[in-house]
Amino acid sequence: MPSEDRLKKLEEMERLAELGGGRERIEAQHKKGKLTARERIAKLVDSGTFIELDKFVTHRALNYEMDKVKPLGDGVVTGYAKINGRLVYIFSHDFTVFGGSLGEAFGRKINKIMDLALKNGAPIIGLCDSGGARIQEGVVALAAYSEIFFRNTLVSGVVPQISAILGPNAGGAVYSPALTDFVVMTKKISNMFITGPDVVKAALGQEVGFEELGGAEVNATKSGVAHFLADDEPQAFTIIRKLLTFLPQNNAESPPRLATGDPPDRVEPSLRKLIPDNPQVPYDMKELIRAVVDNRDYFEVHELWAQNITVGLARLDGYSVGIVANQPTHLTGALDIDSSDKAARFVRFCDCFNIPVVTFVDVPGYMPGIEQEHGGIIRHGAKLLYAYCEATVPKITVIVRKAYGGAYCAMGSKFSRSDINYAWPSAEIAVMGPEGAVNIIFRDKISAAKDRNKERERLIREYREKFANPYEAAARGIIDEVIDPALTRPRLISALQSLTNKSEYRPPRKHGNIPL
Ligand code: HXC
């Protein structure tokens, strides 16, 4: 064959592969408000950097006349590219081919990408839009999924894994994203569920729609499966690009330090007035975080789920840090099941990828109640204790106001081996809040008093003076320094700088047994 013809054949094959499931299905994809697999990659990565692999792979299925339809690429676009100039591996489901459903060849392509990412120490990004296991391929489709799940687990904590859910994700398609570090979902158009509305109706007689069952909003606010909720696909890609700026390429590297232009010695006198005089009055913890971090840029994770705690990424003097902070505006900042899970997972993520953890504490305790106890607050709350104790990255804690009981221990206390522990003068560190404490230890004294209310008030005042301050803790070295709130930023930065070469020993073991 003349070389010109050979090139023509290649061009023709490329053209066919790029058509995926054909023009009609591409149009249908656009009509639904979705981009195609390749359009998505082009919008996500640095212009012109995507190199596609396995473009001509086809399936080998024979059932249900599958041998008559063999689209090139088999419904998933895979390869590598650069984002912000750094290497990433990508797979992008092509919904126009068998609804993005996963069969043997499709799975192999994804596995190849994951193996390359592991060998080369670079993040993996999955753009998901899939009907789940390809029904016509039977057990090999299940095997293909299982191989992906194995790799998701193998690379967990070695390279960052990010999933964007940009359409339906049914059945097996949800478990791979669930095993990754972060899930981004697009509003109104994406969903994730194990069993769809038809099965729910057949099995339980419950009537529910796609959106209500597993839409982006539900997963971002109720289940916590989604870490980020994007208005549309371009916003989902912006979120991924920004997220990557905070992360190292792999667990052997430190996250990149970027010049932010925000002076490290910047003082913030406004923080002296942040805490209301009345300890029962809430304030917005995110105000504190924004005032302290570089350029007020706080990249919140899980913003809409378990809002009584806030977690996210930011920079301090250009260093990437993970922030964990109680949020008094929601449930008084108490720790419950979901907030414990949320913070524990985030602390563990930071620890995997060498991101120091900065904790701001204002917590009245673990949430009481039948619902919480029966839901397993003991088990879930223990996860947070475990995560902080396990983490060996630099840990810096600032007690801003309340730090009571087990929640004090959990939130990056000295005893979880936090490196530097600051407190503001407004800090209250005790076994429990004054009201509850005097009711228990002075029950007899109060009931014997002539004026019980007056006596109770007096005892509360006394308790508050004794415990509701940082100085008992400072006297025992449990707090390293009581600081002027205005100096929080410079103190955090100097602590961070002093801890850049930190190394901490943990006994060798196969793995710990976090209470899941
Ligand atoms: C094969 C599939 C498919 C699948 C969709 N298609 N899902 N083909 N296997 N799992 C095909 C359709 O036949 C159709 O082909 C094309 O994809 C587009 O699908 P539509 O239904 O027309 O699109 P839409 O109306 O947008 O609905 C999308 C959808 C729906 C919500 C995803 O297709 C759906 O409910 N699919 C089944 C989802 C499901 O139950 N999956 C679970 C599989 S079991 P044509 O030729 O008409 O274009 C599983 C367990 C694995 O995953 C466990 C692993 C551990």
Side-chain angles (χ1 to χ4, degrees):
M1 198 191 272
S3 58
E4 257 180 42
D5 291 354
R6 282 196 204 121
L7 275 179
K8 269 199 188 129
K9 178 167 166 86
L10 174 61
E11 273 170 27
E12 177 58 11
M13 284 183 69
E14 302 250 16
R15 192 187 66 78
L16 275 178
E18 281 164 29
L19 270 180
R23 280 192 208 293
E24 259 179 45
R25 288 194 179 87
I26 290 174
E27 268 169 35
Q29 178 84 345
H30 286 154
K31 264 196 196 135
K32 285 177 189 158
K34 299 192 291 181
L35 296 172
T36 64
R38 284 187 180 77
E39 286 166 351
R40 284 169 174 160
I41 293 173
K43 286 223 182 303
L44 171 65
V45 306
D46 296 352
S47 176
T49 61
F50 180 61
I51 303 294
E52 186 170 346
L53 304 176
D54 285 343
K55 203 168 180 176
F56 303 146
V57 160
T58 55
H59 70 76
R60 294 181 209 157
L62 303 170
N63 292 323
Y64 299 109
E65 304 195 324
M66 285 288 280
D67 50 331
K68 300 203 172 75
V69 195
K70 290 199 166 206
L72 296 178
D74 198 41
V76 63
V77 180
T78 58
Y80 58 90
K82 296 253 168 94
I83 291 184
N84 308 316
R86 300 158 84 205
L87 179 67
V88 293
Y89 286 86
I90 300 183
F91 62 87
S92 179
H93 298 160
D94 183 350
F95 191 81
T96 70
V97 177
F98 306 127
S101 61
L102 179 142
E104 186 182 26
F106 187 121
R108 282 224 178 107
K109 286 181 66 172
I110 293 179
N111 288 327
K112 186 190 273 186
I113 288 301
M114 295 180 83
D115 290 344
L116 283 167
L118 181 62
K119 280 191 275 193
N120 295 299
I124 300 166
I125 300 167
L127 308 180
C128 308
D129 189 359
S130 166
R134 190 174 294 164
I135 295 160
Q136 300 90 326
E137 294 206 30
V139 68
V140 295
L142 301 184
Y145 262 132
S146 307
E147 280 289 339
I148 295 173
F149 303 155
F150 179 80
R151 280 172 178 77
N152 283 134
T153 310
L154 189 72
V155 309
S156 179
V158 183
V159 297
Q161 302 182 79
I162 302 170
S163 306
I165 312 297
L166 308 169
N169 264 256
V174 298
Y175 280 120
S176 175
L179 287 165
T180 64
D181 297 303
F182 295 104
V183 173
V184 187
M185 291 185 77
T186 45
K187 265 186 202 165
K188 307 282 178 226
I189 214 156
S190 71
N191 44 61
M192 290 176 86
F193 44 78
I194 303 264
T195 48
D198 290 348
V199 180
V200 171
K201 189 167 179 202
L204 302 165
Q206 294 170 345
E207 295 268 1
V208 66
F210 283 98
E211 190 65 21
E212 200 192 334
L213 182 65
E217 259 124 344
V218 164
N219 278 309
T221 59
K222 286 191 175 31
S223 71
V225 169
H227 299 78
F228 301 99
L229 181 64
D231 288 335
D232 50 25
E233 293 190 18
Q235 198 188 20
F237 303 143
T238 305
I239 289 170
I240 294 172
R241 291 178 65 90
K242 176 139 190 192
L243 175 58
L244 285 167
T245 63
F246 292 104
L247 312 186
Q249 289 290 87
N250 56 63
N251 67 337
E253 291 181 5
S254 295
R257 185 179 173 203
L258 301 181
T260 61
D262 198 348
D265 56 357
R266 174 169 60 78
V267 293
E268 196 63 48
S270 67
L271 291 178
R272 293 178 183 144
K273 298 212 169 88
L274 181 73
I275 305 294
D277 292 339
N278 180 347
Q280 311 309 336
V281 174
Y283 59 93
D284 185 3
M285 182 60 91
K286 289 184 213 170
E287 267 310 301
L288 190 171
I289 297 168
R290 288 195 195 101
V292 163
V293 301
D294 290 1
N295 301 325
R296 299 184 62 82
D297 188 4
Y298 178 47
F299 184 69
E300 196 171 356
V301 174
H302 265 150
E303 183 180 354
L304 303 171
W305 180 58
Q307 291 176 311
N308 39 333
I309 206 156
T310 173
V311 303
L313 294 152
R315 291 188 181 281
L316 280 170
D317 196 24
Y319 293 103
S320 182
V321 291
I323 308 265
V324 180
N326 311 108
Q327 174 56 289
T329 56
H330 286 78
L331 304 174
T332 66
L335 285 172
D336 61 356
I337 290 170
D338 284 348
S339 59
S340 300
D341 281 4
K342 169 173 158 177
R345 177 144 177 88
F346 185 72
V347 168
R348 295 191 100 210
F349 171 78
C350 292
D351 193 44
C352 287
F353 290 108
N354 312 315
I355 301 170
V357 175
V358 176
T359 306
F360 296 102
V361 184
D362 187 349
V363 62
Y366 275 105
M367 181 80 87
I370 298 168
E371 197 187 312
Q372 289 291 313
E373 296 291 349
H374 289 189
I377 181 72
I378 297 173
R379 193 161 49 84
H380 293 276
K383 289 181 204 178
L384 188 56
L385 284 159
Y386 194 107
Y388 268 105
C389 293
E390 179 189 46
T392 56
V393 284
K395 293 183 286 194
I396 308 164
T397 299
V398 185
I399 299 180
V400 173
R401 190 167 65 172
K402 297 169 196 168
Y404 287 136
Y408 155 74
C409 305
M411 291 293 299
S413 72
K414 205 66 173 167
F415 311 101
S416 62
R417 301 295 181 270
S418 181
D419 299 290
I420 302 287
N421 291 62
Y422 295 120
W424 283 10
S426 46
E428 308 174 9
I429 307 165
V431 172
M432 62 166 68
E435 290 78 6
V438 300
N439 282 346
I440 294 171
I441 56 176
F442 298 120
R443 191 185 302 151
D444 295 345
K445 206 170 180 182
I446 291 171
S447 43
K450 263 194 202 154
D451 185 336
R452 287 182 192 168
N453 277 345
K454 210 168 163 190
E455 178 63 355
R456 201 167 163 273
E457 287 309 312
R458 189 188 67 75
L459 291 165
I460 287 175
R461 251 193 334 273
E462 199 179 272
Y463 181 96
R464 197 180 288 287
E465 271 159 33
K466 192 164 180 50
F467 288 120
N469 64 66
Y471 300 108
E472 281 268 322
R476 287 168 167 74
I478 293 166
I479 291 298
D480 298 302
E481 191 184 358
V482 181
I483 58 169
D484 173 353
L487 298 179
T488 305
R489 174 178 164 83
R491 280 295 191 278
L492 285 175
I493 289 172
S494 77
L496 207 54
Q497 285 165 345
S498 73
L499 296 167
T500 45
N501 290 331
K502 178 190 172 185
S503 72
E504 195 170 305
Y505 172 80
R506 292 284 185 277
R509 58 182 165 183
K510 191 171 174 192
H511 57 72
N513 190 14
I514 187 166
L516 295 172

